[in-house]
Amino acid sequence: MTRNEELGDFLRARRAALDPVALGIMDEQKRRVPGLRREELARLAGVSVDYYTRLEQGRPIEPSDAVLDAIAGALQLGRAERNYLQTVAVRPRPARTRGSRSAQVLRPGVFALIEQLGDVPAYVLGRRTDVLAANRAARALLADFPAMPAKHRNAAPWVVLDEAARSLWADWERIVAELVGALRMDAARYPDDPKTTELVGELSIKSEHFRKWWAEQKVVEFAHGPKRLHHPIVGDLTLESEVVTFPGEPDQALFVYLAKPGTSSEHALRMLTSWSSPSAPSMDVG
C-alpha cells in the first residue's frame, strides 16, 4: 500500500494551527514551530505517540472510527473537517475512482426547477465546482457561464482568478474559502481524478492566494446565510443564500439567492433579469 500523504498533510496542518496556551498547555521553552507537539496531540487524543506519528507520516494503516473521533476532538475539528478526516483516512477506494471519470448529469427536473424560479438566481455546482446549470437571473447577477467554453464553466477559477468576480463579491475571501474547501473534499472523494488534479495545479500556479489557502488544509462546507455583492450595474445587494443537495447526487448542490421582499436588492434583481438575455442555459457538461 502507498503512503497516505493527504492524511499526513492534513493532520500536521491542523496540529500546527492549534494554540497551546488556549488549550492550557504552558511551556517555558520557546517552541521552534507553531502549534502542538506530536506527543501533546497524542496525549489529548488518548493514543500512543508512535501510532499518531505513523498517521502523520502517512503510513498505510487504517485507524478505527473511535481513533479518528478522538483525534478529531483533540484537533478541535468542525463537522466538515471531521468528514474530510474520515474520507482521507480510509483510502484508497476504487469505486470513487470509477465515479470520478463518469460524466456529470443534471436531472431534467432540477434544470426545469431553476428555470421556473424567475427573478431568483439559482445555479447548480457539481464535482470540482463545475457549473452544471444557471438560470437567467444567476447569469445576470454573477456571470454568463453557459456562454463560456465547457472547460471554463467552473466557479473556483472564476472567483479566484477573475478580477470582475473579486470586485463582485464583497465577502470575496469567504466565498473563496468555501470553494477551496469544496475542492479539497472533492479531491479526497476522488483521489485519482485527473481533472481535479489539473484544476488544483492550475490555480496553484496562477494564484498566490490559492496556494496559501490550499496549503493551510482548511475544509469548510458551503454555507447558507447572507451574501453581499457589489454589481457593476445595479450596485450593492444583500441576498440570503440557501444550499440544497439532492438524494442520490451527493456531488451536486443547488444554490439559490433570495432577496427580502420590498428591498432595494429585490428591485435590483428584477431590473437585472429584465435586461438579461432570455436564452436558455447550457447543460453540456462532461
Side-chain angles (χ1 to χ4, degrees):
M1 295 178 64
T2 58
R3 288 180 179 268
N4 192 336
E5 296 180 359
E6 289 82 1
L7 174 61
D9 291 344
F10 180 70
L11 291 175
R12 286 191 297 273
R14 294 295 87 214
R15 177 169 60 85
L18 293 175
D19 182 0
V21 176
L23 294 171
I25 300 175
M26 310 304 294
D27 194 343
E28 295 180 357
Q29 297 181 348
K30 185 177 180 180
R31 293 173 181 260
R32 293 180 297 176
V33 295
L36 298 187
R37 300 185 178 95
R38 283 177 175 170
E39 57 268 26
E40 293 169 338
L41 197 286
R43 184 169 62 250
L44 288 175
V47 299
S48 71
V49 177
D50 177 68
Y51 185 83
Y52 180 76
T53 299
R54 291 166 63 197
L55 287 177
E56 277 204 2
Q57 291 173 341
R59 297 290 184 88
I61 56 178
E62 215 171 273
S64 67
D65 290 343
V67 168
L68 290 176
D69 188 62
I71 292 175
L75 291 172
Q76 299 185 342
L77 302 184
R79 184 178 65 176
E81 292 170 320
R82 285 174 178 264
N83 290 339
Y84 180 80
L85 176 63
Q86 178 72 33
T87 301
V88 296
V90 296
R91 296 191 332 184
R93 289 186 176 178
R96 284 200 308 242
T97 302
R98 290 194 299 270
S100 70
R101 300 181 188 277
S102 60
Q104 301 189 72
V105 179
L106 186 66
R107 296 205 314 270
V110 177
F111 179 74
L113 171 64
I114 67 172
E115 283 298 285
Q116 293 177 22
L117 289 176
D119 294 340
V120 177
Y123 59 94
V124 178
L125 295 188
R127 293 195 309 272
R128 301 177 296 273
T129 70
D130 283 344
V131 180
L132 304 186
N135 67 5
R136 185 169 62 169
R139 300 199 306 273
L141 178 66
L142 304 177
D144 193 358
F145 290 106
M148 302 176 184
K151 64 179 295 184
H152 295 152
R153 296 174 199 158
N154 188 289
W158 172 65
V159 171
V160 173
L161 303 177
D162 194 308
E163 287 299 325
R166 183 163 187 166
S167 299
L168 175 67
W169 293 103
D171 301 316
W172 181 75
E173 291 194 4
R174 181 162 63 91
I175 300 300
V176 173
E178 292 182 359
L179 291 170
V180 173
L183 276 179
R184 180 165 293 285
M185 181 59 79
D186 195 80
R189 288 174 177 157
Y190 305 105
D192 298 322
D193 180 20
K195 290 185 178 180
T196 302
T197 302
E198 180 183 358
L199 177 59
V200 171
E202 176 189 359
L203 291 173
S204 298
I205 291 172
K206 294 182 177 179
S207 171
E208 180 180 352
H209 292 291
F210 182 87
R211 287 197 302 273
K212 175 179 179 294
W213 291 322
W214 190 259
E216 289 176 349
Q217 297 278 328
K218 292 183 179 179
V219 183
V220 298
E221 295 178 324
F222 287 119
H224 63 84
K227 294 289 190 295
R228 298 186 301 119
L229 304 94
H230 180 76
H231 198 276
I233 297 177
V234 296
D236 295 335
L237 302 94
T238 299
L239 306 172
E240 289 293 325
S241 68
E242 293 293 339
V243 185
V244 181
T245 55
F246 310 109
E249 296 289 351
D251 297 325
Q252 296 182 6
L254 168 65
F255 295 77
V256 178
Y257 294 159
L258 303 168
K260 292 183 178 180
T263 63
S264 59
S265 296
E266 181 187 40
H267 177 67
L269 282 179
R270 288 179 177 173
M271 291 179 62
L272 281 174
T273 304
S274 66
W275 294 338
S276 63
S277 169
S279 60
S282 171
M283 294 177 60
D284 183 18
V285 178

